Amino acid sequence: MAEAEFTAKGVRIGKRLRSLTRAGQVRISEGRLQLLTSYGTEIDSAPVQAVRASRPWFAPDDRALADLNGKRYSLTLGDHDPAPGEPGPPAARRFIEAVRRAAGRNG
C-alpha cells in the first residue's frame, strides 16, 4: 500500500444530525478519499476528483464538509494542528487543502 497523502485520526464523522463515528479516520491515498470508522471499516470513499471539500458557514474552525457520492458528511477535525509528536487530528483547513491538492485544484 502506498504512503497516504493525508491521514487524520480521531475525527468525528456525521451525516446530517446523525453521528456515524466519534473517533473515525479520514485518509487520502492513491487518488481516493476514504472515511473510516474507528475500527477501520469503510463508511464511504470516492475518487478525490469527485469530492467537494469546504468549510461550513458560521461554524467553528475545526469543522469541514465533504461531499462524496451525493452524500454530505460533516467532519470535526482539530481546531489547530497538533504539536509535532502529539496525538490529535490536523486542522480542517489542512484537510481541505489536501483534497484540493490531490485533485489537482489550486486555491
Side-chain angles (χ1 to χ4, degrees):
M1 187 197 279
E3 180 75 21
E5 299 164 32
F6 177 87
T7 302
K9 295 180 179 180
V11 178
R12 180 182 294 260
I13 301 173
K15 193 161 78 169
R16 298 201 180 215
L17 297 176
R18 186 172 151 224
S19 177
L20 301 175
T21 183
R22 292 185 301 183
Q25 194 175 134
V26 176
R27 184 183 307 156
I28 298 174
S29 180
E30 299 177 5
R32 289 190 71 78
L33 173 80
Q34 294 179 300
L35 302 178
L36 307 168
T37 67
S38 55
Y39 298 109
T41 305
E42 187 175 283
I43 296 170
D44 205 348
S45 72
V48 175
Q49 289 83 5
V51 174
R52 190 171 144 251
S54 62
R55 285 212 356 94
W57 287 20
F58 305 109
D61 289 340
D62 63 347
R63 301 275 167 81
L65 297 174
D67 294 328
L68 286 85
N69 302 320
K71 300 177 198 123
R72 176 169 285 180
Y73 294 95
S74 169
L75 308 175
T76 305
L77 296 107
D79 56 354
H80 61 278
D81 289 330
E86 293 294 315
R93 174 186 45 78
R94 275 200 37 225
F95 163 71
I96 295 167
E97 290 170 1
V99 170
R100 290 179 179 157
R101 194 171 45 250
R105 298 186 295 255
N106 292 329

